[in-house]
Amino acid sequence: MLPSHDLTVRALSQHMYISESRLSHIFKQKAGISLASYIVHHKLRTAFQAIFSGVSMTDAAVEAGFSSSSHFSRTVRDKLGMTARSIVQNSRFLKV
């Protein structure tokens, strides 16, 4: 499997020797969510796991595959409706 920072539809399709559109179609048909959305959520989960393990937000974002901490922050705000910092500060349930 590819590391999180290399996880893209293109990389997966090349790894599996199938076109991007065919892979995306099959994934959406079987999983009920687009492959691109799944990848973004996987990267968010990976970044937050690292943050709650003590890694800095910037390092966690880059390790998870975001191009920068600002890209991570913008994606968190767009997908989750909160800032990354407020999630970290107010999420005692995620720290367990």
Side-chain angles (χ1 to χ4, degrees), residues 21-35:
S21 60
R22 184 68 182 141
L23 177 61
S24 295
H25 176 77
I26 292 169
F27 189 90
K28 172 88 180 211
Q29 186 180 34
K30 298 293 183 184
I33 182 175
S34 74
L35 180 55

Side-chain angles (χ1 to χ4, degrees), residues 9-20 22-23:
V9 175
R10 174 171 285 180
L12 284 171
S13 69
Q14 290 173 346
H15 184 73
M16 299 176 72
Y17 302 103
I18 187 172
S19 73
E20 292 176 44
R22 184 68 182 141
L23 177 61

Side-chain angles (χ1 to χ4, degrees), residues 10-96:
R10 174 171 285 180
L12 284 171
S13 69
Q14 290 173 346
H15 184 73
M16 299 176 72
Y17 302 103
I18 187 172
S19 73
E20 292 176 44
S21 60
R22 184 68 182 141
L23 177 61
S24 295
H25 176 77
I26 292 169
F27 189 90
K28 172 88 180 211
Q29 186 180 34
K30 298 293 183 184
I33 182 175
S34 74
L35 180 55
S37 291
Y38 177 81
I39 290 170
V40 169
H41 288 281
H42 173 76
K43 288 179 178 184
L44 287 171
R45 183 175 58 240
T46 301
F48 277 113
Q49 286 174 339
I51 290 166
F52 288 121
S53 295
V55 177
S56 75
M57 196 171 297
T58 300
D59 290 342
V62 173
E63 286 175 20
F66 293 95
S67 57
S68 65
S69 61
S70 62
H71 179 217
F72 169 68
S73 296
R74 189 172 48 255
T75 303
V76 170
R77 193 173 42 252
D78 291 347
K79 297 293 182 187
L80 304 177
M82 298 174 67
T83 64
R85 186 136 338 263
S86 68
I87 290 172
V88 171
Q89 290 173 347
N90 298 314
S91 296
R92 68 177 187 256
F93 300 109
L94 295 176
K95 295 177 185 175
V96 175

